[in-house]
Amino acid sequence: MQRNGFEPYDFTLGSVISSCANLASLEEGAQFHCQALVSGLISFITVSNALITLYEMKLLGLYYSQAMPNLGKPMRRLICLKECWPLACSRARLVEKGLQYFESMITEHGIIPILDHYTCIIDLLCRAGRLEEARNFINKMPCHPVVVGWATVLTSCRVHGDMEIGKWAADSLIELEPQNPATYDLLSSLYAAKGKWIEVAQLRRGMRDKRVKKVPGYSWIKYKGKVHVFSADDQSSPFLGQIYAKLEKLNYKMIEEGHIPDMSSVLHDVEEYEKIKMLNHHSEKLAIAFGLIFVPLALPIRVIKNLRVWRLPQCN
């Protein structure tokens, strides 16, 4: 556009920044942020909202915890209209503040919550492990949660080992999306963590009977303008030897430091050495190993996934 003499306006810049957010391209998004500042387009709500989406996972928790109390009422009301504020509190583990803002949104600003606000509060409570509160909150909601709300509950139940609420969430998810393989995977992992292998086998049979196909998990990392994609036990990368050698070295070092692998996330009833092998070859680990080999030390390693990350104890 600029080469042809056209300057971007607010909707153009907002759309481009939103695309960067969806692709997790923080560096490119930051460049457009600079352009928004220079051009003055940052004052447009289209651009500002796109920037909030771009940065919210990393920065908004700090922003809301420190800046929100000092903002004037009109600005706080504008922020309350965006559903990302409880999400930011959730990421920063600011549970009480998030609940406080949700209450003030209704009582102080007269804003009627939409479904996205309720979904974010569910996320807020579940991330803190307050599953009983999340269930009570859902039961008092004026509307039913959407898929992402139930998936959040089920994910948290997997992490905290709550079979009762997890089964409740899974039944609701299956009712909404009977062909979604993620629900069966999460419930299988919950059963597997409790050693209930008969129930795991029954779920897998049910998936076959209903012709539910599992979506393969992929992780990718961008390096020098090229996207490198990995799957579990990947054999396609030209850097395979270096990647697996790096993983072996890291694994040996972790064991030396006293690390004990958490094999509860392996959903197969196999010997321990097989479970360790499966854990070592996760797509996320392959992508991280690639980043450690090739990405310069001063730069962050940013791995993106095609599936929701419900728990990665071995990748922390």
Side-chain angles (χ1 to χ4, degrees):
M1 284 180 67
Q2 290 177 320
R3 278 199 298 266
N4 290 315
F6 297 100
E7 289 298 322
Y9 62 112
D10 58 313
F11 285 105
T12 308
L13 202 53
S15 298
V16 173
I17 294 170
S18 294
S19 297
C20 291
N22 291 334
L23 295 169
S25 296
L26 194 59
E27 291 84 2
E28 288 82 354
Q31 292 178 38
F32 289 114
H33 184 181
C34 293
Q35 186 170 354
L37 288 167
V38 171
S39 63
L41 292 174
I42 196 166
S43 60
F44 287 85
I45 195 165
T46 309
V47 178
S48 297
N49 281 348
L51 286 168
I52 287 173
T53 304
L54 177 70
Y55 292 126
E56 65 184 354
M57 302 305 178
K58 192 170 183 179
L59 303 176
L60 280 187
L62 179 63
Y63 170 76
Y64 283 113
S65 64
Q66 295 183 354
M68 189 81 156
N70 301 318
L71 296 173
K73 187 172 180 178
M75 182 59 73
R76 289 204 307 272
R77 190 177 194 281
L78 176 62
I79 287 173
C80 284
L81 286 169
K82 282 284 290 177
E83 65 272 12
C84 60
W85 61 264
L87 186 63
C89 290
S90 174
R91 296 299 187 269
R93 299 295 194 271
L94 300 171
V95 182
E96 298 306 326
K97 280 195 176 294
L99 294 172
Q100 199 176 25
Y101 292 146
F102 181 77
E103 186 63 29
S104 71
M105 183 180 83
I106 302 166
T107 57
E108 185 182 344
H109 302 288
I111 297 168
I112 299 172
I114 61 174
L115 186 55
D116 286 339
H117 289 117
Y118 287 110
T119 302
C120 287
I121 293 297
I122 294 170
D123 184 89
L124 182 74
L125 292 169
C126 286
R127 283 178 180 271
R130 292 159 65 162
L131 293 166
E132 193 59 51
E133 285 181 66
R135 176 160 65 176
N136 293 336
F137 180 80
I138 290 170
N139 287 332
K140 291 176 184 176
M141 281 171 54
C143 50
H144 294 292
V146 289
V147 169
V148 69
W150 289 117
T152 300
V153 177
L154 182 53
T155 297
S156 187
C157 288
R158 165 63 185 91
V159 173
H160 297 284
D162 194 315
M163 183 68 74
E164 181 195 346
I165 296 178
K167 186 70 169 62
W168 172 65
D171 289 342
S172 301
L173 268 173
I174 290 170
E175 188 177 336
L176 285 173
E177 288 191 347
Q179 294 299 117
N180 188 344
T183 303
Y184 299 91
D185 282 344
L186 283 168
L187 188 55
S188 290
S189 69
L190 188 55
Y191 283 136
K194 299 287 185 180
K196 295 180 177 290
W197 298 110
I198 294 174
E199 286 83 353
V200 172
Q202 288 172 344
L203 266 179
R204 287 177 180 159
R205 276 199 301 273
M207 288 179 71
R208 286 197 297 271
D209 293 343
K210 295 175 185 177
R211 297 183 179 180
V212 178
K213 293 183 178 179
K214 186 174 178 179
V215 179
Y218 294 99
S219 300
W220 59 93
I221 184 169
K222 192 165 70 173
Y223 174 64
K224 288 189 174 179
K226 185 179 178 182
V227 177
H228 298 264
V229 183
F230 300 93
S231 59
D233 286 317
D234 200 301
Q235 301 294 320
S236 63
S237 173
F239 308 103
L240 212 57
Q242 292 168 268
I243 291 170
Y244 282 117
K246 186 71 170 179
L247 283 176
E248 283 296 317
K249 186 177 178 181
L250 289 171
N251 191 48
Y252 181 74
K253 188 174 181 181
M254 287 189 294
I255 291 171
E256 268 193 334
E257 295 291 329
H259 171 70
I260 300 172
D262 178 4
M263 290 174 286
S264 63
S265 59
V266 179
L267 310 183
H268 300 277
D269 189 13
V270 294
E271 297 296 331
E272 286 204 2
Y273 74 90
E274 285 290 339
K275 290 184 178 183
I276 292 171
K277 183 181 175 183
M278 291 176 184
L279 289 173
N280 288 343
H281 296 170
H282 269 312
S283 66
E284 301 89 352
K285 283 193 171 184
L286 297 174
I288 291 169
F290 176 92
L292 290 171
I293 294 167
F294 293 104
V295 176
L297 288 175
L299 297 178
I301 295 172
R302 190 167 291 112
V303 176
I304 310 155
K305 287 181 59 66
N306 67 322
L307 301 177
R308 178 185 174 95
V309 181
W310 53 272
R311 189 186 185 201
L312 297 173
Q314 299 304 314
C315 297
N316 294 337

